[in-house]
Amino acid sequence: MNASLQPHILDLAGYVPGEQPQGGGFIKLNTNENPYPPSPRVISALADAIGDRLRLYPDPLATEFRRAAADLHGVSPDMIMAGNGSDDILTILTRAFVGVGEIAAYPTPSYLLYSTLIRIQDGREHVVPFSADWKLRPADVARAGLKLVYLANPNSPSGTALSRGEVADLAAALPCPLVVDEAYGDFADEHAIPLVRDFPNVIVTRTFSKGYSLAGIRLGYLIARPEIVEQLVKVKDSYNCDALSLVAGTAALRDQDYHDRMRDRVVATRSRLTAALRKMGYSVPDSQANFVWATGGPPAEPTFARLKERKILVRLMKYEGMEPGLRISIGTDAEIDRLLEVWNETA
Ligand SMILES: *Cc1c(COP(=O)(O)O)cnc(C)c1O
C-alpha cells in the first residue's frame, strides 16, 4: 500500500496538535482555548436548532452567518467565506494558491501548520526568521515566484504582533496573497481587516476557537476581495460547515457585548501573568494574544515536567536553533493563581 502513496506524503512528519488529556483534573493552559464559557445566547441558539431541521443539508454558502460577519466588520457578505475552523480556511487557501514545486513563505518561529499544508501540496517553503524584536523585513519575505505568504498576527508562540502599518508594508512588497491569520485578533489592539479595501492581496482569517470560546464547534472565516472569495468557494467542500456550527457562530457574532467582556477579563489576567513571570526572571514579550511566551529563565523542559506532574499543562515549544520555551494560555484568575503557586513552590 505504502508504495502507492505519494513520496512527499510518506516523508511528511504530520502536524501534532497540543495534548488533549483524557483523564480529568488538569488545569489546561496548553492550546489557547478560552477559559470562559461561550455566550448564553450561543447555547440557546444551539438548543433551538436541534430538531427536525437537522434532516436537511446546511446552507452551502452560509448566507446568514456571512451576513452577521459582514455586519460586524463593515464589509459586504460576498467578502466572507466560512470554514470548518480556520485550519480548513488555511487548507483551502493553500490548495487554491500553491501548486507542486511552487513556493509559499511563512515566518519562524510561528504556527507549524503552515509548513504541513505547503508540504501536502508538494510545494516548497521559504522560511523567514523573525528578528530578535519579532519584526519582519518585507524584503526578506518577498521573492520572485512566491505564491502565498502566511502571517500569524498576533503570532504564536510569541504573542507579538506587527502593526497594521507593518502588515500593509509587507502586503505592498509581495507579488502574491498575504494571509493574515488573526486567530488571536480578538485579543489584539489592531487588526488588518481595513487593509482588505486598499490591498487586493490581503486575506484575513478569523476563528471562533479562541475569542468566542467555541473550539469544540469548529468554525472560522476569511475576509477577502469578492473576486477571491468567488474562486475559493470552488475549492471548499460543498458543506464544509455544519448547521449547528453556523447557528452557534452567528449567535456568537451577534453578542459582541459578551465577547468584549470576556476579552477584557483575559487581557487583564494576561498583564498580571506577564508581570509575575518577568519578576521570576523570564523574558516575556508584551502579548497581544490569549497566551504568553516565556524564555530565558530556568530551563523550560524540567519546568514543564514539574508543572505537568502537578496537573498543570502548559505548552513546551521547541524550534530549531532556539532554546525551548513555554507558551502559557491565559486561564481564569484562579487557574493562573494556582499556576504561579505551583511554579514558585517547585522552582
Ligand atoms: C488556533 C489557531 C488556528 C486554528 O484555529 P481553528 O479555527 O481552531 O482551526 C489558526 N491559526 C493559528 C495561528 C492558531 O493559533
Side-chain angles (χ1 to χ4, degrees):
M1 274 302 281
N2 276 5
S4 300
L5 272 164
Q6 298 276 310
H8 69 279
I9 301 295
L10 278 170
D11 285 347
L12 195 65
Y15 179 74
V16 184
E19 186 177 349
Q20 297 290 344
Q22 296 303 307
F26 273 94
I27 293 181
K28 208 177 157 301
L29 305 173
N30 68 329
T31 50
N32 300 340
E33 288 132 334
N34 200 301
Y36 301 111
S39 157
R41 292 203 208 165
V42 169
I43 308 300
S44 71
L46 280 171
D48 291 347
I50 292 173
D52 180 58
R53 277 219 331 259
L54 292 178
R55 283 188 306 109
L56 306 176
Y57 281 108
D59 174 3
L61 292 177
T63 310
E64 197 182 344
F65 169 79
R66 291 165 80 196
R67 204 172 291 139
D71 283 350
L72 175 64
H73 297 302
V75 299
S76 61
D78 60 0
M79 296 173 72
I80 308 283
M81 187 181 79
N84 181 32
S86 58
D87 286 351
D88 178 41
I89 297 283
L90 295 169
T91 300
I92 292 165
L93 288 164
T94 311
R95 289 171 68 196
F97 285 106
V98 186
V100 175
E102 291 183 335
I103 309 170
Y106 59 88
T108 190
S110 187
Y111 191 35
L112 294 166
L113 183 69
Y114 307 138
S115 166
T116 308
L117 293 176
I118 298 165
R119 285 162 179 242
I120 289 172
Q121 292 297 101
D122 205 6
R124 285 186 290 153
E125 302 170 77
H126 173 38
V127 186
V128 187
F130 275 109
S131 62
D133 60 347
W134 298 100
K135 299 288 180 198
L136 281 177
R137 279 202 356 211
D140 294 340
V141 183
R143 55 161 61 183
L146 203 58
K147 294 295 183 173
L148 193 65
V149 174
Y150 310 84
L151 175 72
N153 203 54
N155 184 51
S156 170
S158 59
T160 55
L162 301 187
S163 71
R164 187 186 297 155
E166 288 166 334
V167 175
D169 290 345
L170 178 58
L174 295 177
C176 67
L178 171 63
V179 178
V180 187
D181 177 348
E182 293 191 347
Y184 301 103
D186 299 281
F187 307 99
D189 297 334
E190 272 192 332
H191 59 80
I193 296 169
L195 298 181
V196 176
R197 202 181 30 214
D198 299 326
F199 296 86
N201 61 334
V202 170
I203 300 172
V204 179
T205 66
R206 287 289 179 105
T207 178
F208 288 84
S209 300
K210 279 85 183 217
Y212 290 93
S213 309
L214 289 170
I217 273 285
R218 311 307 305 136
L219 188 68
Y221 59 101
L222 63 75
I223 303 116
R225 290 291 187 89
E227 60 273 20
I228 297 179
V229 171
E230 191 186 343
Q231 297 303 317
L232 295 174
V233 166
K234 299 194 268 184
V235 178
K236 78 176 189 71
D237 290 347
S238 303
Y239 304 111
N240 63 330
C241 300
D242 64 79
L244 295 178
S245 62
L246 291 173
V247 160
T250 305
L253 288 179
R254 289 188 174 144
D255 196 355
Q256 287 300 305
D257 258 17
Y258 182 87
H259 169 273
D260 294 353
R261 274 188 289 128
M262 296 309 116
R263 178 202 55 210
D264 291 349
R265 286 165 82 170
V266 168
V267 166
T269 310
R270 181 177 77 191
S271 309
R272 200 162 70 81
L273 177 59
T274 301
L277 290 169
R278 284 178 182 162
K279 229 168 144 186
M280 288 157 61
Y282 288 93
S283 160
V284 183
D286 283 328
S287 172
Q288 290 279 299
N290 68 334
F291 57 84
V292 297
W293 174 236
T295 57
E301 294 193 73
T303 305
F304 168 82
R306 277 200 304 273
L307 291 172
K308 189 169 176 181
E309 223 164 79
R310 304 284 299 270
K311 294 241 154 189
I312 299 176
L313 208 51
V314 299
R315 186 81 168 259
L316 174 69
M317 303 283 244
K318 297 179 194 171
Y319 289 90
E320 216 178 286
M322 275 185 72
E323 59 161 324
L326 297 172
R327 194 191 69 183
I328 304 145
S329 308
I330 304 303
T332 62
D333 278 312
E335 287 172 331
I336 295 303
D337 286 343
R338 175 76 186 146
L339 167 79
L340 292 170
E341 183 190 316
V342 171
W343 202 319
N344 284 309
E345 267 171 34
T346 61

